[in-house]
Amino acid sequence: MLEETKQLIDTEMTVIEEGDVATPNGFVAGGIHVGLRREKKDFGWLFSSVPANCAAVYTQNAFKAAPLQVTEESISVDNKLSAIVINSAIANACTGHRGIEDAKQTQKWVASKLQIPEHHIGIASTGLIGEFLPMQKIEYGVNNIDIQNDSNSEDFNESILTTDKETKHIAVQVTIDEEVITIGGTCKGSGMIHPNMATMLGFMTTDANVEVEDLNSLLKESVDETFNMITVDGDTSTNDMVILLANGQSHNKPLTKQHPEWNKFANAVQYVSQYLAQSIAKDGEGATKLIKVNVTGAKTKQQNNVIAKTIVGSSLVKTAIHGADPNFGRIVTSIGYADHTIDPNEIDVWLCGHLLVSKGMNVSFDELDLKAKMEQDTIEISAKIGDTPHKSTAFGCDLSYEYVKINALYRT
């Protein structure tokens, strides 16, 4: 379990670390190799035994990929999905009319295979931008979807990866209305991560009975606090999407914000979102360290958020962390350009628990001790901007030689 998520654990919440999107009742997931990548699994599916209420958020990149456009249009019909199919290796972005038609053709094949309406099928893709999908291979994948086998969800977790080093998934359980409710999640993301929604795909499922309107607001609130507070390299992808499906198979009374146990459910969704988001930051391309940035005291919550993400997104801060160099000047510089309205004379900065800046002035510290702490896997930076109660936390990773190598050779 990631240490930073422990603060979200409810005493009545059970964490299933090996759980994933197929852990909640009524969900099945799987994946196979269809030839989009060498040897690795590259085509996956997620299926609900009944149409599930659906909430989704999408990339804010103007070049929104074809599968996202098709999925968004489909969800708008009745806010339900029964299946999602995902391919890795090829993003189907910047592919014009043909890209849209290829995504819709995939829907048609899945609808025929699973005997469900086309608008109840979501499409997601991730990988290289600008290439068309080899549709014979996609059709082969659809023809081999297996919704009878409920034990191959790890194949799904692998099939959606690109440059990720490891799969990212978890599930939790809470009891509501005397019924055990499960929330599961699987995601991918390693590079091109700077959500406003980045290349990042997140899938969350629950067997809870949740009203659509409240499901949508819960997902947006959760994403703003988790997925949208991570950055790896400052780039927002064309294909980012987070989807939350609720199929009601736990048979609890309908959950709304007025339900007396709504907060228990909301905290569980927040936990899963936080865990997945931090997993992406930790697995950034070429990353060796997770960076956690806490900012307090700004005039508004939004100002807090911007400063936190600016610090963790600074290339100079990230390279200093990689080299275990306690160069606090890079931190205060990033704070200064994040918001020009701040008062430098009010700024305090800590690195790995060492106070480096007080009221805008440098403070003497034990450099050898701090450098030793900076060799750890998780590096924490804290900044106090003012005296308000606003708090924000952002996550990212260091910038290594390996990141440059991976992205310099991405197409080759």
Side-chain angles (χ1 to χ4, degrees):
M1 184 192 315
L2 290 176
E3 192 69 27
E4 290 74 15
T5 60
K6 287 185 177 179
Q7 62 183 319
L8 295 174
I9 296 179
D10 187 281
T11 55
E12 298 177 341
M13 184 189 302
T14 301
V15 178
I16 307 169
E17 293 190 55
E18 297 305 313
D20 56 27
V21 286
T23 303
N25 294 323
F27 289 97
V28 176
I32 58 173
H33 171 70
V34 301
L36 302 177
R37 301 190 298 173
R38 292 180 181 177
E39 300 178 355
K40 297 180 180 180
K41 296 179 179 66
D42 47 22
F43 181 88
W45 58 87
L46 173 62
F47 176 76
S48 174
S49 59
V50 298
N53 285 347
C54 179
V57 292
Y58 311 92
T59 183
Q60 293 180 24
N61 192 307
F63 284 92
K64 184 182 292 185
L68 271 65
Q69 296 180 52
V70 171
T71 298
E72 188 172 11
E73 179 183 340
S74 297
I75 292 174
S76 69
V77 176
D78 60 7
N79 296 298
K80 292 184 182 293
L81 288 181
S82 295
I84 305 172
V85 291
I86 307 98
N87 72 271
S88 56
I90 299 175
N92 192 13
C94 298
T95 48
H97 178 71
R98 176 174 164 180
I100 298 290
E101 291 305 306
D102 286 347
K104 289 184 175 181
Q105 180 60 62
T106 304
Q107 276 187 319
K108 291 182 171 65
W109 286 333
V110 176
S112 177
K113 169 74 176 180
L114 301 181
Q115 294 300 293
I116 56 178
E118 291 177 22
H119 68 273
H120 281 179
I121 300 161
I123 307 294
S125 300
T126 181
L128 190 63
I129 292 171
E131 290 193 0
F132 296 117
L133 290 170
M135 293 304 289
Q136 285 185 325
K137 294 178 179 179
I138 299 298
E139 184 178 19
Y140 172 83
V142 172
N143 289 337
N144 284 275
I145 290 176
D146 178 8
I147 60 173
Q148 304 305 316
N149 187 347
D150 62 0
S151 62
N152 60 356
S153 60
E154 183 58 25
D155 293 337
F156 171 84
N157 301 336
E158 294 175 9
S159 69
I160 66 176
L161 305 182
T162 49
T163 58
D164 308 61
K165 296 188 293 288
E166 57 188 28
T167 58
K168 306 168 182 66
H169 52 88
I170 197 169
V172 301
Q173 291 181 327
V174 292
T175 300
I176 295 177
D177 294 334
E178 299 183 350
E179 298 284 349
V180 175
I181 286 175
T182 306
I183 302 98
T186 296
C187 70
K188 66 84 50 183
S190 185
M192 203 178 281
I193 303 291
H194 189 69
N196 287 323
M197 284 312 319
T199 176
M200 184 192 81
L201 295 174
F203 306 97
M204 292 192 289
T205 57
T206 179
D207 46 26
N209 181 1
V210 191
E211 297 294 332
V212 168
E213 183 176 347
D214 296 290
L215 193 71
N216 267 295
S217 62
L218 174 60
L219 179 65
K220 290 176 181 177
E221 291 167 6
S222 180
V223 165
D224 281 344
E225 291 294 318
T226 58
F227 290 105
N228 279 346
M229 289 302 292
I230 60 174
T231 183
V232 169
D233 48 24
D235 285 330
T236 299
S237 174
T238 55
N239 290 60
D240 300 345
M241 179 168 60
V242 176
I243 286 183
L244 173 58
L245 302 178
N247 67 8
Q249 293 303 285
S250 66
H251 305 297
N252 61 290
K253 297 174 184 177
L255 275 171
T256 68
K257 290 185 176 181
Q258 286 68 49
H259 191 287
E261 295 184 285
W262 171 260
N263 285 341
K264 185 187 292 187
F265 175 70
N267 287 341
V269 171
Q270 178 81 355
Y271 180 91
V272 171
S273 297
Q274 183 82 302
Y275 183 94
L276 295 177
Q278 289 177 217
S279 296
I280 290 173
K282 187 177 182 181
D283 193 30
E285 288 175 342
T288 65
K289 299 171 185 176
L290 175 70
I291 305 174
K292 177 183 179 181
V293 175
N294 304 302
V295 174
T296 60
K299 296 174 185 176
T300 66
K301 176 68 172 178
Q302 179 60 25
Q303 186 183 38
N304 254 21
N305 289 352
V306 169
I307 293 171
K309 286 194 72 174
T310 300
I311 295 171
V312 82
S314 163
S315 294
L316 291 179
V317 171
K318 291 155 72 70
T319 51
I321 297 300
H322 180 71
D325 177 14
N327 188 342
F328 64 85
R330 295 182 174 183
I331 300 172
V332 295
T333 297
S334 64
I335 295 172
Y337 67 71
D339 191 323
H340 70 277
T341 68
I342 63 169
D343 182 354
N345 297 317
E346 294 295 320
I347 306 300
D348 298 335
V349 175
W350 293 261
L351 176 59
C352 295
H354 285 253
L355 179 66
L356 304 186
V357 177
S358 177
K359 302 300 182 183
M361 298 289 291
N362 67 299
V363 176
S364 61
F365 59 92
D366 186 333
E367 184 160 343
L368 290 179
D369 182 60
L370 180 51
K371 283 181 70 69
K373 289 181 178 178
M374 291 182 71
E375 297 292 349
Q376 298 173 356
D377 293 338
T378 300
I379 305 299
E380 189 163 347
I381 299 171
S382 298
K384 181 176 178 293
I385 307 302
D387 295 321
T388 74
H390 297 297
K391 299 179 180 179
S392 298
T393 301
F395 293 91
C397 60
D398 59 334
L399 182 58
S400 69
Y401 305 105
E402 186 65 17
Y403 174 85
V404 178
K405 179 180 177 181
I406 289 170
N407 285 282
L409 303 174
Y410 190 77
R411 293 188 77 253
T412 56

